[in-house]
Amino acid sequence: MSAPLIPISGLALSDRAQMGQAAEKVGCSASSCGSSAGPADMDPATWAKVKDHPCYSEEAHHYFARMHVAVAPACNIQCNYCNRKYDCANESRPGVVSERLTPEQAARKVLAVAAQVPQLSVLGIAGPGDAAYDWRRTRETFDLVSSRLPDIKLCLSSNGLALPDHIDEIVAMNIDHVTITINAIDPEIGQQIYPWIFYDGKRRTGIEAATILRDRQLKSLEMLHERGVLVKVNSVLIPGINDDHLIEVNKAVKARGAFLHNIMPLISDPAHGTHFGLTGQRGPTAAELRKVQDACAGGANLMRHCRQCRADAVGLLGEDRGQDFTLDKLPETIEDTPEARAAYREWVAEERRDRATAAQFAEAATEPVETPTLFAVCTRGSGRINLHFGKATEFQIYEAGADGIRFVGHRRADNYCLGGHGDSERMDEVIRVLEGVPYILCAKIGEGPRARLAAAGIEAIDSLAQDYIETAVAAVLASRNACLGRSAESA
Ligand code: CLF
Ligand code: SF4
């Protein structure tokens, strides 16, 4: 690759004077700072494992892409939130795929994506069934890919029931990242989520099934942790069933060495044909999700940037280019371009240093923020404000508060720009989704939508285009404080 995807524009703020200049770019009408996650609290060996993994490092998700290949259709349990028959290219939730692949087809697809997407760093197998249960296909796929693309990390996601049978192979295959979905450690609660499991040649139900599953999940976690494999635990938050209980799950998995805990909202809709969807079990609100996540503070580290990907997702988290790489679209001849990925990673290393320095100065230059303030950011990656408001299908949410400027999640919305048709309804949706967020930072916005947002109490700022997110947030705060100071003097 000859040049970085996004030019380094020298916009990083390196001292307080530059911070002041950025604040001026905002203007006095702006009102509302943190830091992005980094390697500071990690030992070098762990950082080396996570620095290019978009799920295991919040910071890496700005730069690196993952792809899933749907090679593992068989599953050994039933979850009440799963129905793998459903197939829709617009549907984004685990278990959903457009085409199932053989290991050879999957390896070809990975080669094609790697040749065109230099951000690709991880190949995950996350179904559409269970990657550890459908082990022959999973193993064959990983073997084929690792022999041809040794720089791509391998990542495995499983319900945990079959995992203890494959620990030695996982270690021998250099799989550094395994996800286990654990929704309950109390079998009374577990039996409300899992109607049955298939184990040791027998279908089992009720407390027996939930107990066996729980024991195998925790055993997998302990065994993998002992062997140096990083384990992320996923839990689906199901209101009224395991919401309070997830705090106990968080403690239990931390005690057994989980690297991250990802608490995800249940996705439930009758149209999906799942047991929960058909029986009216609702998913949590954003506030309910955040409440449980916040209640787990101090326990296992929480992942807050999960996008609940499809089992055939391709691209940066938050984008899905899977439909660009269906089998019929793969080129006849595929040539690997490892030098492009190596050049991209070098560029990312430089960009990270620059961004970390800029963020430090931004933090140092920012007055303490008494009332936490949210910012919605339009970005296509690299930790910069580099996406037109009208092209954004999700907003990354940053909070400026007492402990700095930090990423706290994302909110999805269909993109506003429809060429005039249906724009108004979409704006209503964007305004609804951004409730409680007073600022949008974007690369560009038209006067019409700017005025609509302003009328709803949301200020859109596009004068900080291409800035790092943290420095831009700090600049807005500096501008707001300067305005408040001038108002106080003149009063
Ligand atoms: Fe895939 Fe999962 Fe590996 Fe990531 S996804 S197997 S750890 S490479 Fe990531 Fe997608 Fe969330 Fe999963 S955003 S659903 S946490
Ligand atoms: Fe579906 Fe995964 Fe549960 Fe199996 S473990 S039923 S594939 S969600």
Side-chain angles (χ1 to χ4, degrees):
M1 194 174 70
S2 58
L5 295 182
I6 294 148
I8 298 175
S9 58
L11 283 168
L13 302 181
S14 57
D15 58 34
R16 280 173 178 257
Q18 281 173 295
M19 179 64 71
Q21 287 163 15
E24 277 170 22
K25 282 204 273 177
V26 178
C28 222
S29 64
S31 65
S32 236
C33 216
S35 63
S36 62
D41 55 354
M42 248 177 256
D43 65 84
T46 306
W47 176 242
K49 283 182 184 168
V50 305
K51 71 182 176 56
D52 298 348
H53 197 306
C55 305
Y56 281 69
S57 160
E58 183 259 306
E59 199 252 3
H61 103 281
H62 294 295
Y63 304 106
F64 290 102
R66 54 67 182 109
M67 71 176 289
H68 291 161
V69 286
V71 294
C75 189
N76 48 355
I77 72 173
Q78 179 62 53
C79 304
N80 278 331
Y81 48 75
C82 177
N83 175 7
R84 299 187 300 286
K85 287 185 195 133
Y86 195 96
D87 177 10
C88 165
N90 295 320
E91 181 68 6
S92 180
R93 65 190 164 90
V96 174
V97 297
S98 288
E99 57 186 5
R100 290 174 185 173
L101 309 176
T102 64
E104 293 76 17
Q105 289 170 328
R108 197 159 162 262
K109 179 170 172 172
V110 180
L111 271 172
V113 173
Q116 292 184 49
V117 182
Q119 296 98 327
L120 184 72
S121 62
V122 176
L123 166 65
I125 298 184
D130 188 78
Y133 179 59
D134 215 337
W135 180 248
R136 187 189 60 75
R137 291 188 183 93
T138 296
R139 164 137 210 174
E140 205 177 319
T141 304
F142 277 157
D143 285 347
L144 285 167
V145 171
S146 60
S147 66
R148 293 154 90 172
L149 298 168
D151 62 310
I152 299 296
K153 286 185 186 302
L154 307 177
C155 190
L156 180 68
S157 182
S158 168
N159 62 45
L161 185 59
L163 263 180
D165 303 335
H166 304 295
I167 304 295
D168 286 344
E169 286 171 281
I170 286 170
V171 172
M173 292 160 71
N174 287 322
I175 299 173
D176 286 333
H177 305 85
V178 172
T179 294
I180 311 173
T181 299
I182 305 179
N183 298 316
I185 53 167
D186 178 346
E188 292 282 350
I189 295 173
Q191 69 170 344
Q192 298 174 57
I193 302 170
Y194 310 105
W196 56 262
I197 68 169
F198 186 77
Y199 178 67
D200 208 13
K202 252 179 86 181
R203 185 177 161 113
R204 298 158 196 268
T205 57
I207 291 285
E208 182 198 16
T211 305
I212 293 170
L213 180 61
R214 186 267 321 267
D215 291 349
R216 298 277 291 178
Q217 290 170 333
L218 295 180
K219 184 177 178 184
S220 311
L221 168 55
E222 284 172 350
M223 291 173 80
L224 288 163
H225 177 61
E226 269 171 22
R227 304 287 294 271
V229 177
L230 297 182
V231 180
K232 172 167 70 61
V233 170
N234 282 358
S235 299
V236 179
L237 171 54
I238 310 164
I241 294 185
N242 69 350
D243 26 11
D244 293 335
H245 180 57
L246 286 183
I247 298 159
E248 298 309 312
V249 174
N250 182 275
K251 285 183 191 148
V253 301
K254 181 184 182 183
R256 290 166 177 81
F259 180 74
L260 269 179
H261 189 193
N262 174 23
I263 300 177
M264 312 183 292
L266 170 72
I267 301 173
S268 183
D269 187 309
H272 298 159
T274 63
H275 173 78
F276 281 153
L278 293 170
T279 55
Q281 171 65 54
R282 69 174 180 89
T285 63
E288 287 171 332
L289 175 64
R290 178 132 188 214
K291 188 177 161 208
V292 173
Q293 290 175 331
D294 288 348
C296 292
N301 287 330
L302 289 178
M303 173 182 188
R304 293 179 193 257
H305 62 284
C306 175
R307 304 302 202 275
Q308 292 179 280
C309 325
R310 294 162 53 93
D312 57 4
V314 176
L316 293 171
L317 304 193
E319 72 171 4
D320 188 356
R321 299 181 58 190
Q323 294 304 309
D324 298 343
F325 294 98
T326 50
L327 286 180
D328 57 312
K329 292 182 186 149
L330 301 186
E332 282 293 312
T333 317
I334 304 168
E335 268 189 46
D336 187 24
T337 52
E339 62 286 350
R341 292 191 297 280
Y344 179 72
R345 288 169 197 179
E346 275 177 32
W347 173 76
V348 169
E350 273 178 38
E351 181 81 348
R352 276 178 153 151
R353 283 193 289 273
D354 191 43
R355 181 174 174 220
T357 306
Q360 275 176 359
F361 278 109
E363 293 263 10
T366 304
E367 302 288 330
V369 178
E370 282 169 20
T371 308
T373 304
L374 298 178
F375 291 73
V377 178
C378 301
T379 177
R380 60 160 67 96
S382 301
R384 291 181 184 267
I385 297 160
N386 53 12
L387 185 63
H388 191 298
F389 170 75
K391 302 287 179 213
T393 53
E394 70 162 37
F395 300 96
Q396 292 196 4
I397 306 296
Y398 280 71
E399 182 181 89
D403 54 354
I405 301 165
R406 61 192 180 110
F407 172 90
V408 292
H410 67 281
R411 299 191 191 177
R412 296 174 80 108
D414 283 326
N415 60 307
Y416 161 73
C417 189
L418 294 176
H421 180 69
D423 289 357
S424 184
E425 289 79 9
R426 287 285 171 88
M427 275 302 287
D428 290 343
E429 174 66 4
V430 169
I431 288 166
R432 189 190 65 74
V433 162
L434 293 183
E435 187 188 352
V437 181
Y439 300 106
I440 292 180
L441 300 173
C442 56
K444 191 106 184 105
I445 184 168
E447 288 313 310
R450 188 196 296 278
R452 283 282 310 275
L453 290 167
I458 303 171
E459 181 171 359
I461 299 165
D462 60 3
S463 54
L464 296 166
Q466 299 303 329
D467 262 3
Y468 292 120
I469 295 165
E470 291 84 357
T471 53
V473 169
V476 175
L477 290 174
S479 170
R480 180 181 69 172
N481 290 344
C483 290
L484 291 174
R486 284 201 282 276
S487 300
E489 280 169 20
S490 62

